[in-house]
Amino acid sequence: MATGKIMHGARAQVIMNGKTIGIFTNVSYGVSYDIQPAFILGRFSPAELAYTAAEPIGITASGWRVVDQGPFTDSGGNMPKLQDLLNAEDMSFSLYDRQTDKLLMTVVGVRHAGFNTSVAPRSLEEMTLNFMGLRLSDETASNNEAVGASDLP
């Protein structure tokens, strides 16, 4: 049986901390590396481009605001309450392809960075949640620090 190769929204499910979240209508994410040009005397252009860091993974998820399922609930986004920030734990954020049974991407070390919402006449209330994570892996590769990298005690 042939299956489509191109991913689309009807195939995608969001999974946060192992739980499927069904309120999102759009998820965007990205990876960025810091690159520094090395300029030397005697030339106009850089002599080399060097990788110097990996930026945190940015995730934005938009969806419908469901009553009793706001951003502070497990099914609404896992945003810690102000009084819980000191002990808030990180989470994982994944996109799952329900046609192929594959995890398309997983971001670990995710923290909720904030949300915004709007409501207007003749429209459904939407909410946008912002997250930041440490590392993204997808179905083709794991992304981890190199062997011998320093870590917190």
Side-chain angles (χ1 to χ4, degrees), residues 84-97:
D84 299 331
L85 287 178
L86 191 60
N87 296 313
E89 295 187 18
D90 59 6
M91 60 185 163
S92 64
F93 189 106
S94 301
L95 275 182
Y96 171 77
D97 179 1

Side-chain angles (χ1 to χ4, degrees), residues 2 9 58 71 80 101 107 119 127 140-141 153:
D101 291 328
V107 179
V119 62
M127 186 169 52
T140 65

Side-chain angles (χ1 to χ4, degrees), residues 3-5 10 33-34 41 43 47 52 69 72 76 83 88 91 112 114 123 131 136 139:
T3 61
K5 293 184 178 186
Y33 294 136
D34 287 344
L41 296 174
R43 65 186 290 162
T52 58
Q69 302 299 315
F72 299 103
Q83 66 268 25
M91 60 185 163
H112 203 298
S123 66
F131 304 90
L136 180 144
E139 76 277 17

Side-chain angles (χ1 to χ4, degrees), residues 130-151:
N130 299 302
F131 304 90
M132 205 180 274
L134 295 176
R135 290 182 313 281
L136 180 144
S137 296
D138 68 9
E139 76 277 17
T140 65
S142 294
N143 276 319
N144 295 303
E145 282 291 338
V147 174
S150 298
D151 206 352

